[in-house]
Structure formats: C-alpha cells, structure tokens
Amino acid sequence: MTMGLLLDFFLVILALAAGWWTIGAKDSFGAAVAFVAYGLVLALIWVRIAAPDVALTEAAIGAGLTGGMLIGASTRLESAKQATRAGGVTRRLAIALSALVAAALALAVLGLPHPPPSLAAAAMAALPPTGLGNPVTGVLLAYRAVDTLLEKVVLILALLGTWSLAPDRLWGGRPGRKERRNAASPLTLLGQVLPPIGIVIGLHILWVGANEPGGAFQGGTILAAMWMLAVMAGLVDVPAISRTWLRLLVVAGPGLFLIVGLAGFVVAGGFLAYPPGFAKPLILLVEVVLTLSVAAILLLLLAGPPEREPPR
Amino acid sequence: MSESLLVAAPALPLVLAVACLWRPLREWAGGLLILAPVPALAAALVVRRSSVVTLQHGLVPITFALDVPGAMLLGVSALLWIAAGAYACLRRCGQPLGGQAVVCWLLTLCGSVGVFIAADMASFFMAYALVSLPAWGLVVLDDTERAHRAGAIYVAFAVLGETLLLIGFALLAAAGDSLLIRDALAALPHSPWRGMTLALLIAGFGMKIALIPLHVWMPPTYRAAPISVAAVLSGAAVKAGVIGLIRFLPLGTVLPGAGEALAAVGLFGAFYGVAIGVTQEHPKTILAYSSVSQMGVIAAVLGMGLGAGDGGAATAVAFYGAQHVLVKGALFLAVGVAATNSRRQLWRVIVPAAVLALGLGGLPLTGGALAKLAVKGVLGGGIVGMLANLSAAASTLLMIHFVHRLAGSSAVEDAAGGRELALPWLLLAAAAVAIPWLLFPLATGGSRLAALHPVSIWASLWPVLIGAGLALLRRQFERRLPRFPEGDLLALGKYAMPAAMRIGEASERLEAGLSRWPVASLLLLAAALLLGGGILIAR
Amino acid sequence: MNAEVLFGLAGAVLAGLGLYGLVADPAPLRKLLAFNLLGGGVFLVFGVVARRGAAAGLGGDPVPQALVITGLVVAFAATALAVALLRLLFERTGQTLLDTAAQERTSPDQADG
Amino acid sequence: MMAPALPDMPTAGGFLLVLAIMLPIAGVLLQFMLGGRQAERIALLVMPAGLAVAVAVTAALMLSGRPLVYHLGNLAPPLGLALRADGFSALMLMTTALIVSAIGLFARADFATPTGTVEARAPFVFWTLLLALWGALAVVFLGQDLFTLYVGLELLTFGAVPLVSLDGRAETLTAALRYLLFALFGSALFLAGTVLFYGEYGTLDIALLATRTHPDTTSAIAVAMMTAGLLAKTALFPFHLWLPPAHAGAPAPASALLSSLVVKGPFFLVVRLWFGAMPGLTDLPAAQLLGALGAGAVLFGSVLALCQPRLKPLIAYSTVAQLGYLFLMFPLAGGVGLPASVRMAVWTGGAVQAVSHAFAKAAMFAGAGLIGQALGHDRISGLRGVGRALPVTTFAVAFAGLSLMGLPPSGGFMAKWLLVRASIATAQWWWAALVFAGGLLAGGYIFRIIAPALSAPEKPLPAIRTPARRREVVVLALALISVLLGVVPFGLTTLLAVGNPTIAHIVPR
Amino acid sequence: MSLVRDILTVLSVTAGAFFFLAGTVGLLRFPDTLTRLHALTKADNLGLGLVVLGLALQTWSGPAVLKLAVVWLLALFSGATVAQLIAHRARDDRPGE
C-alpha cells in the first residue's frame, strides 16, 4: 500500500509539474506540449483510481485530441501579436484569489462525508436488465442516456459553430488545405499501414466497451485519428461539408439514439427505455452508429471550417 | 343603466384611440375629439353619486365610483375637453390632424376622465399614467426645438412623479392590504410608514400640480404646447393631481404636521408663482405661473383641511378646482382667439377675457369669488386666511399683467383659423361664468345668496382693488423688474448637467475597467468566495 | 494521508493553477489551455468522489466516472470551437487579443446593416 | 424553510416534457442532415408543434394543479434522470416557444436562402441554431439533474456563440470569443460545485437534494461556486463584460434571442439552486450580496445605456440593467417568517419581470433591426424622422420601452409593483428606492430613442427601405404582449404556484 | 517456476527503465535535433521492448501477450515514422544547406 501511495505521490508531483509548466511556459507551444504531458499523467492517475474508462477517454481526448488541437493552434498563432503581460497587482491578486478558491475546493473535498454516498450498488443492481457488463457503459447509454444524447448534440453544435466561421463563398467546400501525397514520405507508409490496424483496435475498444473499459467515444476517437492520419498523408481528402453522406454520418448516431429512445415510448413504456431482452443488442447498435458519427465529427472538428471552393 | 356610463366614459376615448390606428378613421378625427368626452359629461350629469361599478377581470378588479368632488371635476373637465377639441379641429381649417396628435389626445382624455372615477389604486394609477405620459406627444406637436426641450422636461417630471407614486401606492397598499383607495386610506393613519407614504404621495401629486419647487416643468411646457393642448393640460390634466390629493390624503383624520407643511408650501407657491409671473412676457407663460399660484392655493386649502381633519375640504377644493378648469381653459383659448382678431376688434376678446382673468383674483360675482368663498371656511380666519386674501390680490396683479400682455401682443401665435374659432371659446367662457353659480350650493351646502351679501362682496372686492393698485405700481417699475427665464429654477439645471456628464464619463471609465478580462474574472472569483463566506458566516 | 485525499488535494491545486492562468494570462490560447487544466483538476476531484464511492465490487462509483467522460467530451467540443474562433480571428486581424476591442469601442460608425 | 417533500413521482402527461426537449433537438438533427432550404422549413414546422407542446404543458399544470414529472428510461432518480415542469418552468417554456416562433417569423426575410443556391451559410446556421437554442432552453427549464443542466447550459452556450459571430466581422469574432471563454469559465465553476454536491449527497437530482441538503462547509462552497458560474453566464453586473459587444454585434434576430431568452437560462438555474436544491439560502447574507449585484446592474447598466451613441449597444446595456431586477428575488424572498403572500409577490414579480423583459427586449432588438435596415445605420443621433417612416415599428419600440421603464399597464410595471410591495413588506425599502431610480434611468434611455424618432427629420431622409408589414406586425405583437402582461396576467399566480410548495397553499384554485 | 518468471520480469523491466532513463538523459543533454532523436528512438524502442517482455512474462496468456506485442510493434512503427518526419523537418530547417 505504501508503495502504491508513493507511486501516487510521484504521479501527483508529475501532474503538478506539468500543470505548472502549462501555465508558466514562455511560449504557447511549450505550454501545449506540457498540457499533453499533463493529460497523459492524468490518464495514469485515472487508472490509479480505478477508472479505466475515464483513463482511456482522458488519454484519447484530454491528451490526444485536445492536446493535438492546441499544439496545432499554438504553431499557427505563433506570430500573433503578444499582449502585454498582466500587471503585478493583477497577478498578485490572481494568485491570491485562485489560491483561495483552490483552498476552498480542497476544504470542501476534505469535508466530504464518511461514509461516502455512492450509487455503485444501485448501478450494479440495475445492470442485469441491460445485458451489459460495464456499469460505466450502463450509466452512459441506459441510466443517463439523455446526457449522452445531448452531449452528441453539443458536438454537432460545436461543429456547426466551427463551420459557421467559413466565408460565405466557401460554404459547402472542403475543410483544410489539400495535402500532397508523397510516396517517399514515411507518413505515407504510416498512413497506409496504421489505419487498418487502428480501425480494428477502434472497433475492438467499442466492442469490449459493453463489458469492459472502452466504448463508443474512445473507439470513435481512434477511428478519427486513423482517418486524420490518412488525410495528413494525402491518401484521402476531407470530404466537402455539403456532402449528404457526411451530414448523414454526423447525425446518424444521435439520430438513431433518438429514434430508439422514442421507440421506447411504444415498446418499453418510456422514452429511452429499452424493451426487456433487446436492451443489449439495441445498445450495441446505437453504440456502433455513435462510434461512426463520433469519428466523423471529431475529424471534421480537427479539420476546421471549409477553406476550399465547394464542388460544382 | 346609468352606471354603464361610468365605464363608457374612459372606455370610449380608449377604444377610439385604438381605432384611430386605422388611418381612414383619422379623417374624422375632429368629430371624434368632440364626441369622445361626451359620455364623461353625461356620466357627471346623470350617474347617481355613490354608485360603484366593479369589473372583475385580470389580476385586480377594476372599480369605478363617482362622488361629489369627482363628479364636479369630471363634468367641467369633459366640457373643457369638448371645447378644446372643437378648437383644435377648427384651427386646422379642415385639414386632418396627425395620427400622433389624435391618439395622444384621446389617451390623455381617457386618463383625465379615469382619474376622477377610479376607486382602486390600480386603475387610478393607470389612469394617472395615461393623463401624464401620452401628453408628451401633444407637447411636442409643434416639433420645434423649444417644444422638444419642453417635452423632455415634461416627461422627466412625469416619470419622476409616476415613480414616486408607485412607491407611495405600494406603501399604502401594504398598510391596508387592499387596493381599494377607501380601505387603504382608512388604514393609513395606523401605518408604520405613514410619514413616508404621505411624503411620497404629496411629492408625486405635487409634481402634477406644480407644487414649489416641483413646478419648473409647467411654464416651459405650456409655453411650448399648442393652444388647445395647453388649455386641456392646464385645465383638465392638472386636476389629476388635485383629485389625487383629494382621494389619497386622509382628510378625515387630524394630521397637523403634514397638513401645515403642505399649507405652508402651497401658500408660498401662491405668491411665488405671481412673483415670477409678473416678470414674464408671453401670455401663455403668465398663465402657467398663474396656475402655479392657483394650485398653491389649492394645496394650502388641502393642507389646512388635513391639519384640521376637515373632510369637507375635499368638496371645497374640488369646487375651486372646477372653477379653475373652466377659467384657465377659456383663458388659454383666448390667447389663441386673440391672435385671429385684428387689433381694432381685439376688444371683443379682451373684455370677456379680462372678466374671467380677474375672476381668478376673486372679482365679485364671478366664479372665482364663489370659489374663494367656498374655501374660506377651510382656510379659517387667522393668518392663513389673511395670506389667502393677499394671494387673491397677487393673482389680480398677475391677471392684469396677463390682460395687458394679451392686448399688447396680438398675433403671438400664428393666426391660422378663422372667426369660428371664437365659438368654442365663447362657449367655455360662458360656462366659466355660469357653472360655478350652478355648482355652488352643491359644493358648499350654502345658498347662492351668501355670495351676494354685501359683506361677501366687499371681502372679495378689496383684494382685487389692492391687486389693481399693485398693477399700477408694477407699471411704474416695469423697467427695473428682474427677468427670470421660463421655469425659473430650471436654470439651475445647467449646473446639474456637467455633474450628470461627469457621472456618465466616470461610468464609462469604470466600464472600460470592468470589461477588461482580468478585472471581471477576478471579481467573479471574489464573488464566489464572498457568496461562500456569506453562506458560512450565517451558519 | 491516503490516495483519495492526495488526489483530491491535487485536483484542487490543479484547479487553482488553471484559475490563475484563466485570469491572468492575456493570450486567449493560454486561457484555453488553462481552462482545460482547470477542467482536469475538477474532473480529478470528481474521480476522487467516484473512488470514495467504491462499493458492490466496483473500484469506484460508475456514475461520476461516466459523468467525467461526458464532461471531457463537452470540454473538447468547447476547445474545438474556441480554437476555430481564435484561428479565424488571427487570420483576420493578425492578433488574438480579447481586451483591445472592448476598450477601443470608439470607432463610431460600424453600422449594422 | 420549505417543508421537506417527497421526491416527485412520474405523472400522466409527463411525456410532454420529453417532447418539449426532443422536438427541437430532432429538428436540429434533421436540419443538419437535410440542410439548405429544408433547414428553414423544418424550423417553421417545429414552431407550431413546439408551441402546442408548451401550451399542453401549461394547460396540464393549470388543470391538475400539480407539476409534471417524467422519469427518463423509467428509472427513478438518483440513478435515473427526471424531468419536471413546475409553474415557473411552464411559464418560461411558453415564453420561449412564443418568442422563438415570433423571431422565426421575423427572421425569414433576413435569413432566406437566396435563389440559385442550394445552401447558404448564414441561413443554415441561423435556422439550425434557432431550434438548438430552443432545445437547450427546454433542457434548462425542465431538467432536474444538475449535470444534465450543465450539459443543457453548454448546449445553450454553443448555440449562442456562433450566432454572435454570424456576420464574421472581426469585432464580432472577438465578442464571440470573449463570450465563449467567459462562459467556459462559468461552466468550470458550475461543474466544480456539481462535483461537490455529488460527493456530499450522492445525487444531483434537485428534488432529492432539496430533501438532503444542509448548509455545511462543503455545500456552501459548492453553492457559491455554482452560483458564481451561473452569474458569469447570465452576465450579472459586474460580470457582464461579454454581453454588450456580443448582443450588440449579433444580427438583430439573433440579438433578440440572446438578450430575451438565452441570458434567462442561467438565471433560472440560480433560482432552481437557491429555492429548489438548497432552500433556506435566501435567509443568508449571501442573498443580500446577490441583491446588491442586481442593484449595481440596474444602476450601472442604465447609466451606460444613457451614454451609448448607438441603438443596439443601448439596448444591450438595458439588458444588463434589466437582469438586475431579477436578482432582487433572492433578498426579498428570504426570511424565515415571511408571509406566503409576500413570497407570492416576489415570485410573481420575478417571473413577470423575466417574461415581460423577454418580450420587450425581443421587440426592441427586432425593431432596432428594422430601423437599422431602413436607415442603413443605428446611430441615435440619426433617428430623427423614423417615426414617420416606420410608424408601426416606432410604436412597438415605444411600447416595449414602456415595459422596460415599468410604467403601467405594462408587465414591467406589474413586476416592479410586486417587488416594491415585497420590499416594503420585508422592511427592505432600499430595494424600493432602487426600483425608483432604475425606472427613472430607464425612462431616460428610452426617451433618448423615442424623442428623436418622433420628431421631424432635419433633412428629408434618404431613400428608406420600408420593411415588410408582416415583420413590423411581429415586432408590435411582441411589444404588446410585454405590455399586456400587466393587464391580463393570464392566470399567472395560479400557474406559478404549481409545484412551488412555499406559495401553493395560498393560491385559490 | 513463477519465481524464475518474477526474477526475469524484474531484470527485464529494470533494464527497460534504464534504457528509458538513458534516452531521456540523451534528449536533455545532446546538442541538436538529430542527435537527440538518435538517443531517444534507439533507447526508447529497446526500453519499451524490454518492459513489454517483462510484462508478457507476467501475464503469460495468449491474447494478452498478443496485445502487448501489438503495442510494442505499433510504438516501434509510429516512433520510427515520427523520427523520420522530425529528421526531415530538421534537415529542411537547417540554415545554410
């Protein structure tokens, strides 16, 4: 146990150091790199506190996607005019107030009750009818399904918001610039070899999500990463945003989820209720389609607003 | 049946106002202006006193009732509205009035009628707002720089008055836990906020009746408004404040402090109005200062009534006010009519106008003399009564000055309109003479003969004579009189402007600071900590 | 001192670091990084809450764990939208400052059609 | 203190709540998929349906006198999620449905897909986000779970931010970015509080929390953080830095939605938190702090509105000011021994203020849009003569102004009257003085618009593009509703008492 | 038997950790991009391989060993590619060549 605590202590030091670096780094690029490190350390911490599903998500989203996106942004904005640093008084006040709020938060955490309240038992008790083995997936797709559904709508709105920044003339066009394919580039090789393996792994993570750590979002992230890799290697191009199949792909997941939910009114006596015996297949079906939608949305979010003329 | 007239009286103008949004109807607007006040007049004549109508709609029931003071003021106001309406459309020489004019006129009329019959606070407040705010659209009708300046001042004071009243009414309603004026008033003497309530109500209504120093809006407004508008505003609309004080001051209860304070302010205003008025040039401005003075007398009477717990003051004041409605309305129209006459025929206007004007000073046998007689009892014979007599002398002085200016400055208004303009004016002038005689017994319970008694005649004559003497004196010192701008104290506003600008600039500087990200976000953190602290401290 | 307390305090400190960056760093991109840092801290506290609720043979309460997953996705969506805005702002103006536009709100005639 | 009530059981008709949320959401998905002109058509189709659902919810509440409750997936809280509509929710839902529909009709001219194009950027984004905002608000008004509400708030932010920068000018981009970042700041704080609540009570369901919460250190910190986060999102003074540029910079129909509805979402949650999840907080000094910030908003926002040279920023600062009145609810509804009639007055006053401001502000911004389009600018100094050119619009703006000033018979008046009465009854007359000052200042800034608009132009106006009569009528209708709310309160007290145990017992049914 | 496995695991993982450490020291101490890459890729690929080997000895079940092998191979492959990309970039950026 002490050995474990020592490891935890080490991880906390690492996380704090990465956090400190993220805030204190001289340039944005350094800060973004530090943030990726922070995300990875956090992922390890999640493993330490018995939350492997969160660890996977943190690694994929927190460190991977968010980090990658911020690193990309920091290189793009390198030449941005730098604002003057906040004045000494501001900084001192900021330090004082942030520290006070953090102290309050710490105080609140220390004041959490014993024995702690928990829904773990309730979540396990409600799991058999869904046919799932992983209670986290149960929470995400059955008990609190509406959160998950709305979260997908949040993603779609973020995508719409990103697209809305395109100039009118380029509306409907392809995001990003065309990557040139270069047969000699190692990236091309990577783009050819890795995606098939990645897709298998992504689907595997989705599939095991029903019973073990993993699930739609983590799987979708890997698929999106593979797609992005192929795009970067110039093997495929990002589709034009006016493509009907693309739009369909984006809304298919939440759409199907919604339809299944509404069908619950008829067949299971309630919105987002699953008919007994069909719960697991339905949930898996929803998850598969969600994974595809998530992959598409993530790719498009990474690709940004349309930058090329729409197809005629 | 006759009670339905009580509903029709405010409803007809409102309905017509809404209907006038439809353009073709506005072609007949002139007729509408004359027609709209007719139910109110009928109601004043035929509806039984103490009849109550309650409409049970909405959040609060709307209650209308008619008592003697209300009926008197309602009737004469309706008459003035008819006459002024006729004047307004005759003056346009057959051209249609603008939509803004018609709608604002009708809305103001609706409010003007409503305040006299409203028996609950909600509908009274509503009517009071109607009589105050849409009138802004009438004040600025001439669309001149002067009109807009006056309009801005007018609306500022109207809104200020409304807001004071809102809080006053809220206090009153809280005291009585009822929205009926009668119930709320009955509870007022026991209210813990009695002083505050009275102060707010007097200040709010004082704004309307131009109680010093809240009078500054009145001269520029009347000066800038078209003749017919000035007539209804000075005659009818101002009486919303009078009826407000009648309705909301607990006149049956002895409240010496408040009453005497009100009386003192009122009497001061009665002289102050004259003092500034005699330095003015324009007849409309002089009439405005006369209103300041006359309303001061009314406030004094109410104050004495309040101090003595004299419930009869209400009727006396209403009678005094009714007389003022007709006279002041007729005098404003006279300014307009005078402008249409050539200098040689001017006497046809001047003579009747002079009689009416001197009536305000209490010339024997006029309505003014009757009015002064009616309030004499309330004022008493002491120093207050004496001061009231002296104020009559002062009024005479001011009115002689008015007639003088009226004769000396024909064509002060543009001389549109023909001879037929005189018709509504003459009608009103005749009413101003006759109606006080009709109402006198109703108001005082006494006989008309009392007014014909030589003692009474002398009592009202000597102030007039003194006033005439003062007028001669004034002519002697004409050149040496100081000149005050319209709205006298308003000139102090120019010192307030830079202060207001400084507040604005300071706020903009503050905003520039607050809209900086670090400032706002630090404040957010501070707020979070304070909120947490605020919850924990109390634990 | 046990692991939960340790991680809980770490979460609070990380949140404080994030708050400081969000308040004091003038560059929007750094604010965005700080927001994500702050989010990480808050999620970590949630993780501690989940860990404390370990029961029924589970290493942690699955409900907060699931909520963290949803929260991470939402935070990512926010980051994506903000980055897109930042990039466009940079392309248009060559800078990404938040405070100048507000304080120089004097340009009189930017009529909104 | 609120009597501890048992968590609500699902009621008949609860499915309406699902529809109220999912109808717009389904619309968003369809719009995104079909795109182009279909986006507008779908929005126009969803409007009557959503309106009907809102009416049905309100009617169900009025008839049964009980709140509607639905358990999603037939699973009760704490493990499952509940939706619940009490009187206040139904009122806000109804307001949202009406305003979204009105603004939808109004915006058709601004956001028509041009002929010859399959899909244009601004129309597609606007129509989709219109329904998205509707769905998000429905979540905020009906959600019972703090985390679902968090997701709803994010949905609201993500729907609102792109609307701010819809025209793509650099200033609006900056405004959108400020809005987004500050809103995210608020989200993080809200989330931190949510976490603590779960850690302490093992549930996030508001009805369950109401029976479990006690004001210990952790809860106090949690509530403080959540409240601060919500204040950032609702732009209460002095956290309003993002609001004026965002609301003044967005296209007129979008500004109308943002100013009238979107800022009410977080406010609604503060009410939920303080009166629902943790009853008893309003007795504490913290409630006075909220009231004080509200007072600052009223005074400061109004003074700045008086200083603005242009119409839309003026209206935006007026929103900052008017939001302040809403926060008077907190100090006024406190007090352990407070009579139910006073609570009633506070609730009704707050609700009427929220609703009438929503209608008035929607009318104001829409009217400002028409004026701006007609004149080609929105400088206040150049408004002379607009009254002649656009009489209906000017009339509507004046009417809406009446409500903002709180003059009778408007809804704003009714709200202020009730708040003043409550402040007298609770012997906190300083709030009455604030209402007094706020009314005067509002009178000032409304007068600054109306007076020049009604005067004759100095020189003949350049060619005015007269808006379609239909659009003017929509603006007028919005303004009239805000005024009529004071006269015809539509059974408001009865509705507001539904599901509000502090006042339910005194309302006659 | 299991004792032998444990000993092998400890040796293997320790050796792996040593290579990681060496690679990291190289990353920090070497003067330019190419030499740093040199230190990092070699040492890390070998280090990860040794760690994976140690872990595989512990699990000793088919699928798990397979997964570990896949992890190592993917890391090798992507590490190699990324090193190539960085090296290209470093060469292109080097001034005066």
Side-chain angles (χ1 to χ4, degrees), chain D residues 34 40 87 89 91 113 160 168 184 193 211 214 231 234 260 304 333 377 477:
Chain D
L34 299 174
E40 181 179 349
S89 325
L91 181 66
T113 308
L184 290 180
T211 64
H214 41 86
L231 296 188
T234 198
S260 64
L304 275 162
H377 70 83

PDB file of all heavy atoms in Angstrom, chain D residues 34 40 87 89 91 113 160 168 184 193 211 214 231 234 260 304 333 377 477:
ATOM      1  N   LEU D  34     -30.560  17.506 -43.675  1.00  0.00           N
ATOM      2  CA  LEU D  34     -31.154  17.875 -44.955  1.00  0.00           C
ATOM      3  C   LEU D  34     -30.590  19.181 -45.493  1.00  0.00           C
ATOM      4  O   LEU D  34     -30.456  19.359 -46.690  1.00  0.00           O
ATOM      5  CB  LEU D  34     -32.671  17.971 -44.821  1.00  0.00           C
ATOM      6  CG  LEU D  34     -33.323  16.655 -44.399  1.00  0.00           C
ATOM      7  CD1 LEU D  34     -34.800  16.853 -44.150  1.00  0.00           C
ATOM      8  CD2 LEU D  34     -33.097  15.587 -45.454  1.00  0.00           C
ATOM      9  N   GLU D  40     -34.864  25.928 -42.969  1.00  0.00           N
ATOM     10  CA  GLU D  40     -35.886  26.910 -42.640  1.00  0.00           C
ATOM     11  C   GLU D  40     -37.252  26.241 -42.521  1.00  0.00           C
ATOM     12  O   GLU D  40     -38.007  26.499 -41.592  1.00  0.00           O
ATOM     13  CB  GLU D  40     -35.918  27.994 -43.721  1.00  0.00           C
ATOM     14  CG  GLU D  40     -36.936  29.071 -43.443  1.00  0.00           C
ATOM     15  CD  GLU D  40     -36.936  30.156 -44.511  1.00  0.00           C
ATOM     16  OE1 GLU D  40     -36.010  30.180 -45.350  1.00  0.00           O
ATOM     17  OE2 GLU D  40     -37.860  30.976 -44.504  1.00  0.00           O
ATOM     18  N   GLY D  87     -44.696  25.491 -12.233  1.00  0.00           N
ATOM     19  CA  GLY D  87     -45.313  26.642 -12.882  1.00  0.00           C
ATOM     20  C   GLY D  87     -44.308  27.543 -13.562  1.00  0.00           C
ATOM     21  O   GLY D  87     -44.525  27.987 -14.695  1.00  0.00           O
ATOM     22  N   SER D  89     -41.310  26.787 -14.686  1.00  0.00           N
ATOM     23  CA  SER D  89     -40.784  26.165 -15.908  1.00  0.00           C
ATOM     24  C   SER D  89     -41.761  26.321 -17.049  1.00  0.00           C
ATOM     25  O   SER D  89     -41.376  26.669 -18.171  1.00  0.00           O
ATOM     26  CB  SER D  89     -40.542  24.672 -15.738  1.00  0.00           C
ATOM     27  OG  SER D  89     -40.104  24.353 -14.476  1.00  0.00           O
ATOM     28  N   LEU D  91     -44.055  28.471 -17.508  1.00  0.00           N
ATOM     29  CA  LEU D  91     -44.119  29.860 -17.962  1.00  0.00           C
ATOM     30  C   LEU D  91     -42.944  30.184 -18.880  1.00  0.00           C
ATOM     31  O   LEU D  91     -43.113  30.783 -19.950  1.00  0.00           O
ATOM     32  CB  LEU D  91     -44.113  30.780 -16.741  1.00  0.00           C
ATOM     33  CG  LEU D  91     -44.191  32.261 -17.020  1.00  0.00           C
ATOM     34  CD1 LEU D  91     -45.540  32.604 -17.622  1.00  0.00           C
ATOM     35  CD2 LEU D  91     -43.968  33.063 -15.759  1.00  0.00           C
ATOM     36  N   THR D 113     -32.683  31.573 -47.838  1.00  0.00           N
ATOM     37  CA  THR D 113     -31.639  31.049 -48.718  1.00  0.00           C
ATOM     38  C   THR D 113     -31.841  31.678 -50.092  1.00  0.00           C
ATOM     39  O   THR D 113     -32.929  31.579 -50.651  1.00  0.00           O
ATOM     40  CB  THR D 113     -31.758  29.524 -48.819  1.00  0.00           C
ATOM     41  OG1 THR D 113     -31.797  28.986 -47.496  1.00  0.00           O
ATOM     42  CG2 THR D 113     -30.575  28.941 -49.557  1.00  0.00           C
ATOM     43  N   ALA D 160     -25.419  29.767 -28.812  1.00  0.00           N
ATOM     44  CA  ALA D 160     -25.445  31.227 -28.829  1.00  0.00           C
ATOM     45  C   ALA D 160     -24.187  31.821 -29.455  1.00  0.00           C
ATOM     46  O   ALA D 160     -24.264  32.801 -30.192  1.00  0.00           O
ATOM     47  CB  ALA D 160     -25.608  31.748 -27.398  1.00  0.00           C
ATOM     48  N   GLY D 168     -19.352  37.561 -39.185  1.00  0.00           N
ATOM     49  CA  GLY D 168     -17.940  37.368 -39.472  1.00  0.00           C
ATOM     50  C   GLY D 168     -17.048  38.589 -39.346  1.00  0.00           C
ATOM     51  O   GLY D 168     -15.875  38.524 -39.675  1.00  0.00           O
ATOM     52  N   LEU D 184     -17.158  29.540 -20.543  1.00  0.00           N
ATOM     53  CA  LEU D 184     -16.456  28.316 -20.143  1.00  0.00           C
ATOM     54  C   LEU D 184     -15.936  28.436 -18.715  1.00  0.00           C
ATOM     55  O   LEU D 184     -15.963  27.473 -17.940  1.00  0.00           O
ATOM     56  CB  LEU D 184     -15.297  28.043 -21.103  1.00  0.00           C
ATOM     57  CG  LEU D 184     -15.699  27.615 -22.506  1.00  0.00           C
ATOM     58  CD1 LEU D 184     -14.471  27.382 -23.352  1.00  0.00           C
ATOM     59  CD2 LEU D 184     -16.543  26.353 -22.459  1.00  0.00           C
ATOM     60  N   GLY D 193     -18.936  22.876  -8.482  1.00  0.00           N
ATOM     61  CA  GLY D 193     -19.974  22.784  -7.468  1.00  0.00           C
ATOM     62  C   GLY D 193     -20.784  21.505  -7.591  1.00  0.00           C
ATOM     63  O   GLY D 193     -21.113  20.846  -6.596  1.00  0.00           O
ATOM     64  N   THR D 211     -34.320  17.528  -0.260  1.00  0.00           N
ATOM     65  CA  THR D 211     -34.621  16.816   0.982  1.00  0.00           C
ATOM     66  C   THR D 211     -33.358  16.465   1.760  1.00  0.00           C
ATOM     67  O   THR D 211     -33.433  16.069   2.913  1.00  0.00           O
ATOM     68  CB  THR D 211     -35.376  15.510   0.683  1.00  0.00           C
ATOM     69  OG1 THR D 211     -34.501  14.667  -0.073  1.00  0.00           O
ATOM     70  CG2 THR D 211     -36.636  15.764  -0.094  1.00  0.00           C
ATOM     71  N   HIS D 214     -27.923  20.282   3.597  1.00  0.00           N
ATOM     72  CA  HIS D 214     -27.811  21.055   4.826  1.00  0.00           C
ATOM     73  C   HIS D 214     -26.612  21.974   4.635  1.00  0.00           C
ATOM     74  O   HIS D 214     -25.634  21.613   3.972  1.00  0.00           O
ATOM     75  CB  HIS D 214     -27.637  20.151   6.036  1.00  0.00           C
ATOM     76  CG  HIS D 214     -26.712  19.005   5.781  1.00  0.00           C
ATOM     77  ND1 HIS D 214     -25.360  19.092   5.932  1.00  0.00           N
ATOM     78  CD2 HIS D 214     -26.960  17.756   5.318  1.00  0.00           C
ATOM     79  CE1 HIS D 214     -24.794  17.942   5.616  1.00  0.00           C
ATOM     80  NE2 HIS D 214     -25.744  17.106   5.226  1.00  0.00           N
ATOM     81  N   LEU D 231     -23.699  33.170 -12.616  1.00  0.00           N
ATOM     82  CA  LEU D 231     -23.705  34.630 -12.766  1.00  0.00           C
ATOM     83  C   LEU D 231     -22.847  35.046 -13.955  1.00  0.00           C
ATOM     84  O   LEU D 231     -23.193  35.971 -14.698  1.00  0.00           O
ATOM     85  CB  LEU D 231     -23.181  35.307 -11.493  1.00  0.00           C
ATOM     86  CG  LEU D 231     -23.999  35.107 -10.229  1.00  0.00           C
ATOM     87  CD1 LEU D 231     -23.462  35.980  -9.109  1.00  0.00           C
ATOM     88  CD2 LEU D 231     -25.462  35.428 -10.468  1.00  0.00           C
ATOM     89  N   THR D 234     -24.954  34.436 -16.981  1.00  0.00           N
ATOM     90  CA  THR D 234     -26.124  35.288 -17.178  1.00  0.00           C
ATOM     91  C   THR D 234     -25.722  36.746 -17.288  1.00  0.00           C
ATOM     92  O   THR D 234     -26.552  37.612 -17.528  1.00  0.00           O
ATOM     93  CB  THR D 234     -27.138  35.079 -16.034  1.00  0.00           C
ATOM     94  OG1 THR D 234     -28.401  35.564 -16.456  1.00  0.00           O
ATOM     95  CG2 THR D 234     -26.734  35.810 -14.787  1.00  0.00           C
ATOM     96  N   SER D 260     -33.234  38.202 -24.947  1.00  0.00           N
ATOM     97  CA  SER D 260     -34.512  37.949 -24.291  1.00  0.00           C
ATOM     98  C   SER D 260     -34.511  36.588 -23.605  1.00  0.00           C
ATOM     99  O   SER D 260     -35.043  36.461 -22.505  1.00  0.00           O
ATOM    100  CB  SER D 260     -35.648  38.041 -25.299  1.00  0.00           C
ATOM    101  OG  SER D 260     -35.521  37.031 -26.268  1.00  0.00           O
ATOM    102  N   LEU D 304     -24.992  53.448 -18.321  1.00  0.00           N
ATOM    103  CA  LEU D 304     -24.242  53.224 -19.550  1.00  0.00           C
ATOM    104  C   LEU D 304     -25.141  53.222 -20.767  1.00  0.00           C
ATOM    105  O   LEU D 304     -24.747  53.675 -21.840  1.00  0.00           O
ATOM    106  CB  LEU D 304     -23.465  51.926 -19.455  1.00  0.00           C
ATOM    107  CG  LEU D 304     -22.155  52.195 -18.749  1.00  0.00           C
ATOM    108  CD1 LEU D 304     -21.553  50.937 -18.235  1.00  0.00           C
ATOM    109  CD2 LEU D 304     -21.189  52.887 -19.686  1.00  0.00           C
ATOM    110  N   ALA D 333     -37.163  37.222  -1.109  1.00  0.00           N
ATOM    111  CA  ALA D 333     -37.927  36.017  -0.774  1.00  0.00           C
ATOM    112  C   ALA D 333     -37.388  35.330   0.472  1.00  0.00           C
ATOM    113  O   ALA D 333     -37.843  34.280   0.851  1.00  0.00           O
ATOM    114  CB  ALA D 333     -37.913  35.045  -1.945  1.00  0.00           C
ATOM    115  N   HIS D 377     -28.026  52.591 -40.766  1.00  0.00           N
ATOM    116  CA  HIS D 377     -27.151  52.790 -39.614  1.00  0.00           C
ATOM    117  C   HIS D 377     -28.038  52.724 -38.375  1.00  0.00           C
ATOM    118  O   HIS D 377     -29.265  52.680 -38.491  1.00  0.00           O
ATOM    119  CB  HIS D 377     -26.457  54.152 -39.684  1.00  0.00           C
ATOM    120  CG  HIS D 377     -27.399  55.297 -39.471  1.00  0.00           C
ATOM    121  ND1 HIS D 377     -27.780  55.730 -38.231  1.00  0.00           N
ATOM    122  CD2 HIS D 377     -28.074  56.067 -40.353  1.00  0.00           C
ATOM    123  CE1 HIS D 377     -28.632  56.725 -38.351  1.00  0.00           C
ATOM    124  NE2 HIS D 377     -28.831  56.944 -39.626  1.00  0.00           N
ATOM    125  N   ALA D 477     -46.492  42.783 -32.088  1.00  0.00           N
ATOM    126  CA  ALA D 477     -47.130  41.753 -31.258  1.00  0.00           C
ATOM    127  C   ALA D 477     -46.279  41.446 -30.034  1.00  0.00           C
ATOM    128  O   ALA D 477     -46.786  41.344 -28.914  1.00  0.00           O
ATOM    129  CB  ALA D 477     -47.338  40.487 -32.090  1.00  0.00           C
TER     130      ALA D 477
END
